[in-house]
Amino acid sequence: MDLLLSLFRDYTLQNVMAGAALLGLISGVLGSFAVLRRQSLLGDTMSHAALPGVCLGFIIAGTRHLGSILVGALVTGALAALVMLMLTRLSRLKTDAALGIALSTFFALGVVLLTYIQGTNNAAQGGLDAFLFGQAAATLRSDVWIMAGVTTLALALVAALWKEFKLVTFDAEFAASLGLPVMWLEVLLTVMVALAVVVGLQMVGVVLMAAMIIAPAVAARQWSRRLEGMVGLAAAIGVAGGVLGALLSALSRGLATGPLIILSVSAVVLVSIALAPGRGLVWEALRLWRGRRRLRQQQVLTTLYRLAAHHEDPVFRSEQGLLDTYHGLRTRSALRKLERRGLVEWGHAPPGEPGPPHRWLLTPAGLAEAERILASLNGEGA
């Protein structure tokens, strides 16, 4: 406890935690719209496209001033997104191809500019390449205020245009029929994702920022079926992941903060994909197992019915071995479950009849259920 209290009083950790929380908040909110619009690669494109903006901001300012660097990153990130939108609207390229073109082109330009800066022998360039993977420990209180301003602006825009963004996200054609400026709303959403990328450059860097945009929204999508719930939960997951990553980095004394933030959020994604009710892999496996068990019971029940129909005896008694041979596996478990449901009975064979003394027969309820199942199958076949 004393260790945690001393950590929370640390000035650097306070800045890092505040910046990570702001990053998780804006990433969760804006990433939800990107995921629902099936533009998961958009964050990857704009984060890589921010690199030339970082270099241009440094060249223009002549020093590693965060404000100039973030403005440059916002400009080139938004420009890359607009190039992607133009390519998809003015050509036959699909969205993924346009994103790939924009990503590779702008990132290549950024690498060229970074190499150029490194060749100028400018003493202020030290640490500039940290924007590739983030350098959270270098976050200053003034940087946090800049990040807070960008986050506040983005959230205010989302709140003001919530209905319009929601409509464009789920049904752009209907929004256009209502007279909404769909193209400009899409551009605004795209630029806002670029704002989120800008906020995350100092914390997690160009390379990992794409995961921060997508991961909280993907995790929240597993638990929520409404946009309002998804956005709120994604923001909470992003904030929690950011703060946890910052704390783990402070406790480890040596591990980078940015990757730990991404790993923290990714852990929530894995848990959500595995355990989310109705969507998780565990629930899906359980549903499949129950479906196979129910199907086996239905198969055994209809087999008893067909045997009874073949012998023109509704209470025909079938041997366990006969049923096992017919299905090629042991059927006792399925029969016991059917017995508990009152659909079959374990009765005595007729006096003097050769074979096992105990056999299976349908109850009136089982007879009716088998007829219903077969009628349903015949209806589907028709």
Side-chain angles (χ1 to χ4, degrees):
M1 181 63 70
D2 292 337
L3 176 61
L4 287 177
L5 289 176
S6 63
L7 284 175
F8 284 123
R9 286 193 291 267
D10 183 82
Y11 177 81
T12 300
L13 181 59
Q14 290 176 1
N15 293 336
V16 173
M17 288 179 60
L22 290 169
L23 171 60
L25 178 61
I26 190 173
S27 297
V29 173
L30 298 180
S32 298
F33 290 99
V35 169
L36 292 175
R37 292 166 66 207
R38 298 182 180 181
Q39 293 183 343
S40 298
L41 284 176
L42 184 61
D44 196 21
T45 299
M46 286 194 287
S47 61
H48 283 75
L51 182 59
V54 170
C55 297
L56 288 173
F58 174 82
I59 292 172
I60 293 173
T63 185
R64 192 170 169 271
H65 181 260
L66 184 63
S68 302
I69 288 175
L70 293 187
V71 170
L74 175 62
V75 171
T76 56
L79 182 60
L82 296 178
V83 168
M84 180 274 296
L85 290 175
M86 289 179 60
L87 288 174
T88 54
R89 288 182 174 273
L90 302 179
S91 69
R92 296 184 179 181
L93 288 175
K94 299 297 183 181
T95 302
D96 56 349
L99 286 170
I101 292 172
L103 184 153
S104 56
T105 302
F106 278 80
F107 189 65
L109 177 60
V111 172
V112 170
L113 289 175
L114 186 60
T115 305
Y116 166 76
I117 292 173
Q118 291 173 345
T120 59
N121 296 322
N122 187 337
Q125 68 175 286
L128 189 63
D129 56 353
F131 282 97
L132 286 171
F133 299 102
Q135 194 175 28
T139 303
L140 303 175
R141 189 59 56 89
S142 58
D143 301 337
V144 173
W145 283 113
I146 293 175
M147 296 168 68
V150 174
T151 301
T152 302
L153 174 62
L155 296 182
L157 286 173
V158 170
L161 299 172
W162 175 261
K163 292 183 179 179
E164 290 79 1
F165 286 158
K166 183 176 181 179
L167 192 55
V168 168
T169 298
F170 289 107
D171 197 338
E173 293 182 359
F174 180 64
S177 69
L178 295 178
L180 293 178
V182 173
M183 186 184 73
W184 290 109
L185 288 171
E186 289 181 342
V187 169
L188 183 57
L189 269 173
T190 302
V191 172
M192 289 168 65
V193 175
L195 284 174
V197 170
V198 164
V199 170
L201 286 179
Q202 177 80 1
M203 300 299 301
V204 299
V206 166
V207 176
L208 298 177
M209 189 56 211
M212 197 64 198
I213 292 289
I214 301 304
V218 170
R221 184 70 180 93
Q222 309 305 311
W223 301 91
S224 177
R225 297 182 180 274
R226 295 180 58 84
L227 179 63
E228 294 81 358
M230 177 181 173
V231 169
L233 185 56
I237 291 172
V239 171
V243 173
L244 179 60
L247 282 175
L248 291 175
S249 177
L251 291 171
S252 64
R253 297 296 182 184
L255 296 181
T257 303
L260 286 175
I261 291 175
I262 300 302
L263 289 175
S264 300
V265 179
S266 298
V268 180
V269 174
L270 293 177
V271 171
S272 301
I273 292 176
L275 301 179
R279 296 191 180 204
L281 296 178
V282 172
W283 295 97
E284 182 65 24
L286 181 61
R287 188 161 48 245
L288 289 174
W289 175 75
R290 287 176 175 173
R292 285 195 296 266
R293 187 179 65 175
R294 185 167 53 250
L295 178 60
R296 181 173 299 176
Q297 293 176 24
Q298 291 178 352
Q299 290 172 337
V300 173
L301 190 67
T302 54
T303 298
L304 287 170
Y305 177 84
R306 289 191 175 99
L307 289 171
H310 176 74
H311 290 84
E312 298 180 350
D313 182 4
V315 292
F316 177 77
R317 291 164 170 80
S318 301
E319 299 178 16
Q320 177 75 58
L322 174 64
L323 295 172
D324 290 345
T325 303
Y326 184 86
H327 287 280
L329 47 82
R330 295 185 62 83
T331 58
R332 181 173 293 276
S333 175
L335 286 164
R336 289 299 184 189
K337 291 180 175 66
L338 290 171
E339 185 182 25
R340 286 195 292 270
R341 294 170 59 190
L343 301 179
V344 299
E345 290 180 353
W346 180 239
H348 293 282
E353 184 174 315
H358 294 87
R359 304 180 186 182
W360 294 99
L361 70 151
L362 291 170
T363 65
L367 190 66
E369 177 66 12
E371 290 176 345
R372 186 195 66 79
I373 293 172
L374 290 173
S376 174
L377 293 174
N378 291 333
E380 291 178 359

